Amino acid sequence: MGLQKIDFVETRGNIVRDCPGTKNHICCGYKTIDLIEGCVLSCSYCILKEYINAPNIKINRDMPYILSQINETIEAEKTHILRFGTGELSDSLALDRRYGLNRPLIEFFGETKKALLELKSKWASIDHLVPYLNPYTVISFSLAPQRIIDYEEKRTSPLYKRLKAAKKAQDSGCFVGLHFDPVIIYEGFEKDYEYLIGDIGRILDLKKVLWVSLGLLRFPPRLFDRFLEEGRKNLLYGEFIRGEDGKYRYIKKERLKIYRMLYGLLKRQEEDLFIYLCMEREDIWRGITGLTLEDNEALTGLFDNRIKNLYGGNI
Ligand code: SF4
């Protein structure tokens, strides 16, 4: 893993925030917890390189304050079942075994039973957490074909270890989440995704997959320059446009084609899977799922229904 220095800090103010989402795109009402800022895994496409200037990784060590902020947010919410995550400014598990950051959060959500904590990761280390896991923690892995992991996510766990860890989380009583994000176009990617989704169907219990997200590669202009400098062929393959939010994305025709393919492959494995698109426009949503989502609120409602269906009256 990386050699970055870790700074322990006591940040005050808004530790719990709304996921920033992106302008004119449908977002899901996710709450982020700023527990760690910066990431040792250093994926080549990571957008954090644009947002975080400090070379060191910051860990907020004031757990009582963090828990009080989460509690206040849960208590203030009257309509929705809140979903929280620590994986927006870092990877949720990469530093966990060394620093034991997630255990108090897992226990808090298990006692509160009113909201969900998602630990989103590319680092397949959950053995130390297994004794504390409960259904109010969702263990999620970002998944990509091994070729992308080899070239663009060099410091992360290989695919088979992520799937094995996801299975272990299911066996320990948790639902899991799967994130195909970022999906990257390269020569032959379709076949690789077909195999990957086949493996998921063989290894995991798809009835215990709470949600699946699909998000195609997108990045701000400065990262485009970096990809050029570094000669990242995988990341520059395909045709891009700049979206309304200024970020580069694959052209709409390609996006629709890829989403349709992935959506179809996943639904063939399990018709009941709950699949959502991360930061996409309403017309793309409609084209893929047939659903008309007028605003973010509509998508948050779909999440509420999904959780109620699987948790019954236990949340
Ligand atoms: S694991 Fe996530 S946060 Fe960490 S470098 Fe990779 S993309 Fe960035």
Side-chain angles (χ1 to χ4, degrees):
M1 275 217 258
L3 300 170
Q4 281 140 297
K5 214 171 136 266
I6 309 283
D7 289 336
F8 286 92
V9 296
E10 286 188 13
T11 314
R12 291 283 152 165
N14 293 335
I15 299 290
V16 177
R17 292 178 297 107
D18 291 332
C19 181
T22 197
K23 204 173 138 207
N24 295 331
H25 291 67
I26 304 275
C27 292
C28 70
Y30 200 70
K31 302 279 179 195
T32 67
I33 304 168
D34 293 346
L35 177 64
I36 318 171
E37 226 178 83
C39 186
V40 285
L41 298 181
S42 205
C43 303
S44 62
Y45 52 74
C46 183
I47 214 158
L48 288 182
K49 291 182 181 156
E50 277 304 294
Y51 295 131
I52 300 177
N53 291 320
N56 296 349
I57 292 176
K58 280 191 216 152
I59 295 180
N60 190 344
R61 65 176 169 194
D62 191 350
M63 194 47 79
Y65 180 70
I66 295 173
L67 295 180
S68 74
Q69 290 275 295
I70 297 170
N71 199 42
E72 266 177 35
T73 312
I74 295 174
E75 291 305 322
E77 175 63 48
K78 301 290 173 229
T79 317
H80 300 295
I81 302 167
L82 294 182
R83 290 161 283 116
F84 292 82
T86 54
E88 290 308 306
L89 298 178
S90 189
D91 181 281
S92 295
L93 295 175
L95 293 172
D96 198 66
R97 198 153 59 95
R98 203 179 318 161
Y99 296 108
L101 305 167
N102 286 307
R103 183 178 155 187
L105 289 173
I106 292 171
E107 290 176 336
F108 172 83
F109 278 84
E111 281 156 22
T112 312
K113 297 184 173 52
K114 287 184 183 167
L116 298 180
L117 168 70
E118 181 178 39
L119 302 179
K120 203 190 288 183
S121 187
K122 296 188 179 88
W123 189 247
S125 165
I126 65 159
D127 286 0
H128 63 293
L129 292 174
V130 164
Y132 314 103
L133 290 178
N134 60 63
Y136 301 88
T137 294
V138 182
I139 300 285
S140 290
F141 286 101
S142 303
L143 300 175
Q146 187 57 44
R147 168 173 164 155
I148 288 298
I149 298 175
D150 289 341
Y151 285 98
E152 314 299 343
E153 303 174 354
K154 281 190 176 149
R155 294 186 187 167
T156 66
S157 299
L159 176 63
Y160 78 93
K161 283 199 178 170
R162 297 185 204 177
L163 291 176
K164 232 170 108 186
K167 174 79 175 103
K168 188 172 275 184
Q170 288 187 328
D171 292 343
S172 310
C174 288
F175 286 106
V176 301
L178 304 177
H179 298 286
F180 294 86
D181 196 350
V183 174
I184 295 167
I185 304 182
Y186 58 88
E187 185 87 43
F189 79 105
E190 296 97 332
K191 263 277 159 266
D192 287 353
Y193 272 95
E194 201 180 319
Y195 291 137
L196 167 56
I197 291 170
D199 285 345
I200 291 169
R202 273 187 294 279
I203 295 169
L204 298 182
D205 176 354
L206 296 181
K207 297 277 184 207
K208 290 189 193 157
V209 173
L210 188 52
W211 48 63
V212 180
S213 77
L214 302 178
L216 300 188
L217 181 67
R218 52 206 179 273
F219 49 84
R222 265 189 291 163
L223 272 191
F224 187 76
D225 298 338
R226 186 193 293 240
F227 298 165
L228 280 174
E229 268 165 41
E230 294 176 357
R232 301 221 163 256
K233 289 198 196 112
N234 288 326
L235 303 183
L236 295 168
Y237 195 95
E239 215 178 313
F240 295 94
I241 47 144
R242 276 185 80 175
E244 289 163 78
D245 55 0
K247 287 183 193 153
Y248 283 98
R249 295 175 148 70
Y250 297 125
I251 55 170
K252 182 175 169 185
K253 195 171 95 203
E254 280 299 312
R255 300 213 305 279
L256 278 168
K257 199 167 97 193
I258 300 165
Y259 283 132
R260 261 193 209 114
M261 174 192 81
L262 295 172
Y263 194 84
L265 287 170
L266 286 160
K267 285 284 185 182
R268 230 173 290 148
Q269 292 286 336
E270 170 57 57
E271 183 54 38
D272 287 343
L273 277 178
F274 177 78
I275 303 170
Y276 68 98
L277 309 179
C278 189
M279 295 188 210
E280 266 300 352
R281 287 186 345 209
E282 191 276 328
D283 54 334
I284 303 276
W285 261 95
R286 205 164 356 100
I288 304 303
T289 63
L291 292 171
T292 304
L293 292 181
E294 267 155 27
D295 50 21
N296 297 350
E297 192 64 18
L299 178 55
T300 311
L302 293 184
F303 272 94
D304 288 340
N305 291 342
R306 173 65 175 170
I307 296 166
K308 279 183 203 146
N309 281 342
L310 292 189
Y311 283 76
N314 297 318
I315 195 158

